[in-house]
Amino acid sequence: MVIALIFDTLLLVALIAAIWRGGTIERLGAALCILATVLTVVSSPLRIRFQGVRLDLLTIDLATLLAFVALARASRRFWPIWAAGLQMLSIICMTAEALAPDNLAYAYAEQVWSWGIVVLIIVVSLRHGATLKARGSSRSLSAGPAENERTGSPTGS
């Protein structure tokens, strides 16, 4: 219960950091984490946790992975790719848990990656705020082929 409270506090810090210093992508990432957490808690009463792989949790994790992939494709930033990778590791742990249901290590390992995503959102939100201060602006969403920041041309020449 204490660990869940710490995670929820960290998630709240991520949301505040994303709203306060982050851009659109960071806010969407924080909202995605909150949505996935709420759906997981609602579908997982405490009495039935760690009883093998559950299809509802796998569905939530897969949908979260797809959302992070979509965020990465729409973004000019690199961190959503990392978030998608961490989410994929969670799904891999869930698969390992299905293959070895008696080993609780996989169940615990599955949850570790969520912490990484939340910490990642805190860090990138704070760095985004620093970038805005230094540059005055930042483009977070992709509007087509990536342009070279210096020349403005797609090829960089």
Side-chain angles (χ1 to χ4, degrees):
M1 188 61 128
V2 172
I3 292 174
L5 184 61
I6 293 170
F7 179 79
D8 291 343
T9 303
L10 199 60
L11 191 59
L12 182 62
V13 169
L15 178 64
I16 291 168
I19 291 170
W20 178 48
R21 302 287 297 260
T24 303
I25 296 297
E26 290 78 18
R27 291 179 187 134
L28 289 172
L32 177 58
C33 286
I34 289 174
L35 178 63
T37 300
V38 168
L39 290 174
T40 298
V41 168
V42 166
S43 69
S44 301
L46 289 175
R47 59 184 161 69
I48 59 171
R49 294 207 176 179
F50 302 124
Q51 293 185 356
V53 176
R54 295 190 26 228
L55 195 54
D56 54 346
L57 297 181
L58 181 60
T59 303
I60 293 167
D61 282 352
L62 285 171
T64 304
L65 171 63
L66 292 174
F68 273 123
V69 168
L71 199 60
R73 289 187 50 84
S75 174
R76 301 180 65 92
R77 306 237 171 90
F78 194 72
W79 76 263
I81 297 169
W82 282 90
L86 291 170
Q87 185 63 28
M88 181 59 129
L89 288 171
S90 178
I91 293 169
I92 289 170
C93 287
M94 191 177 282
T95 304
E97 185 183 357
L99 297 174
D102 295 335
N103 190 344
L104 281 181
Y106 294 122
Y108 290 115
E110 175 192 340
Q111 298 175 13
V112 168
W113 309 113
S114 300
W115 289 71
I117 294 170
V118 172
V119 169
L120 180 65
I121 290 173
I122 293 170
V123 170
V124 299
S125 294
L126 296 177
R127 287 198 64 211
H128 177 75
T131 301
L132 284 178
K133 253 186 192 176
R135 290 188 190 165
S137 69
S138 175
R139 295 179 298 182
S140 62
L141 294 174
S142 177
E147 292 181 353
N148 183 304
E149 299 242 351
R150 225 182 276 156
T151 64
S153 71
T155 60
S157 53

